[in-house]
Amino acid sequence: MERDRLQEIREYINNLTIKKAFFGGYDREDVYVKLGEISGMYQKYVSEILEKAKQQTADYEQRLRASEMLVNELNKKLGVLSAEQRSKDKEKEELKGVYQAYCKNILQQYSDSLRSLSAEFAQILENVTNLQDNIINMENVDIFEMEQKEAPELQAAEEVQEQPEE
């Protein structure tokens, strides 16, 4: 648009016809009128440029205010997110402590169970050792004597098995 307006002014100047004076030169009044027209065209052009600049400045200021509002809104959201993050971090640390306590408790229970089992195993081992000792000591006892002591019980059991069923 600016180029169009300047082009229009140039064409006006190039095609300008000024009245000639009677004794040579140009008619003074017509020169002033034409200069006034050219000046008016330039003033109109400058006014349009200034108006456009004012509009652009107003648009820029409006966009700047909108941007500042967005920045403020983003800063508020960032503050909220930061607070939430700190809260989550605190919660995470608390849960980590609870989990560590839970794991410590479970490991203690396992440790206690293993100690208990170890004690029971030691008792079983002692019992097995005692049984081995008893068996070794029994080698000195006559096996036949034992069979005779157990024989009445065995004979009674055999008799029960041999009876026919009625």
Side-chain angles (χ1 to χ4, degrees):
M1 181 174 168
E2 293 174 19
R3 288 184 181 201
D4 293 341
R5 181 66 67 192
L6 284 175
Q7 185 64 30
E8 183 181 318
I9 294 171
R10 280 190 201 110
E11 286 176 10
Y12 177 79
I13 292 172
N14 287 337
N15 296 330
L16 185 66
T17 53
I18 303 175
K19 291 183 190 176
K20 301 249 182 195
F22 287 120
F23 301 106
Y26 293 100
D27 181 39
R28 186 178 211 153
E29 242 181 76
D30 194 38
V31 169
Y32 288 137
V33 168
K34 300 297 181 183
L35 286 175
E37 288 175 1
I38 292 171
S39 176
M41 292 173 89
Y42 273 114
Q43 284 178 351
K44 185 176 179 183
Y45 172 70
V46 169
S47 293
E48 288 173 358
I49 288 176
L50 288 175
E51 186 60 36
K52 185 176 180 182
K54 284 180 186 178
Q55 184 62 42
Q56 287 175 341
T57 301
D59 290 346
Y60 169 76
E61 288 173 351
Q62 184 179 6
R63 286 194 312 270
L64 182 63
R65 282 189 299 276
S67 295
E68 288 172 348
M69 286 177 18
L70 287 174
V71 166
N72 289 338
E73 189 176 320
L74 287 174
N75 283 334
K76 286 178 186 177
K77 287 182 179 180
L78 181 61
V80 169
L81 288 174
S82 294
E84 287 177 2
Q85 183 64 41
R86 286 189 298 274
S87 174
K88 295 291 182 189
D89 289 344
K90 183 179 177 183
E91 184 180 337
K92 179 181 172 184
E93 287 301 315
E94 289 172 359
L95 288 174
K96 185 177 177 182
V98 168
Y99 181 71
Q100 287 175 342
Y102 171 76
C103 288
K104 183 178 178 182
N105 186 19
I106 293 295
L107 289 173
Q108 185 63 44
Q109 288 176 7
Y110 285 149
S111 178
D112 293 346
S113 295
L114 286 174
R115 281 191 195 97
S116 175
L117 288 173
S118 178
E120 288 177 22
F121 182 72
Q123 182 63 43
I124 291 171
L125 232 87
E126 186 179 328
N127 291 343
V128 167
T129 304
N130 289 339
L131 283 174
Q132 284 176 340
D133 289 343
N134 288 341
I135 291 173
I136 291 172
N137 290 336
M138 285 181 65
E139 287 179 359
N140 298 335
V141 176
D142 190 8
I143 296 176
F144 295 111
E145 289 177 18
M146 283 184 55
E147 286 180 1
Q148 289 174 357
K149 289 179 184 176
E150 293 178 3
E153 295 170 359
L154 290 175
Q155 288 173 355
E158 288 175 0
E159 288 175 8
V160 170
Q161 287 178 357
E162 290 176 4
Q163 289 181 356
E165 291 185 27
E166 296 175 16

